[in-house]
Amino acid sequence: PDWSLPGPDSATIKLSDYAGKVVVMDFWGTWCPFCLKAMPDVQKLHEKYKDKGVVVIGLNTENDPRANPAEFMAKKKYTYGLALNAEKITRQYKVFGFPTLFVIGKDGKVAHVAQGAQPDLEASVAKAIDQALGL
């Protein structure tokens, strides 16, 4: 399903803005140790595919209003996209654990779902991205 969430600069980010592209959505939170463990792999995916029509977006879910996910990502030098208040859409995507990554194909359909900080996370998601790109 389409969604519309604020970015760190208050601009609205919508999934539909990326129609025709492969999109990787990473549901995460600063409170989640498994999310933090997976983030270097998400960054590697971003770096590998950013020039190939693939958009990587971290969909942040926070319970603590004092958390600053944009600052956290900047400090860690994570350069992929960030959308805030993603707890509003976790039910739509049936996200029950964190992190959960979705690969959305160019056709707008879910092509792959990965849950948890799996040891082969980068490889399994890269394979799904390659398939979605038709490589």
Side-chain angles (χ1 to χ4, degrees), residues 74-100:
K75 206 177 281 184
K76 296 287 187 177
K77 296 185 174 36
Y78 298 138
T79 57
Y80 53 92
L82 173 62
L84 305 172
N85 304 330
E87 58 278 354
K88 295 176 181 176
I89 63 168
T90 54
R91 282 197 182 139
Q92 287 175 276
Y93 281 88
K94 297 178 176 68
V95 174
F96 300 110
F98 294 88
T100 298

Side-chain angles (χ1 to χ4, degrees), residues 39-105:
M39 288 178 87
D41 285 343
V42 177
Q43 178 65 27
K44 286 178 191 168
L45 290 165
H46 167 64
E47 290 171 8
K48 181 176 181 177
Y49 291 101
K50 67 183 176 185
D51 297 326
K52 297 180 181 175
V54 177
V55 177
V56 178
I57 305 170
L59 296 170
N60 182 260
T61 61
E62 291 296 337
N63 302 323
D64 184 349
R66 296 168 297 170
N68 188 334
E71 184 179 281
F72 175 84
M73 285 183 68
K75 206 177 281 184
K76 296 287 187 177
K77 296 185 174 36
Y78 298 138
T79 57
Y80 53 92
L82 173 62
L84 305 172
N85 304 330
E87 58 278 354
K88 295 176 181 176
I89 63 168
T90 54
R91 282 197 182 139
Q92 287 175 276
Y93 281 88
K94 297 178 176 68
V95 174
F96 300 110
F98 294 88
T100 298
L101 281 81
F102 288 85
V103 176
I104 309 296

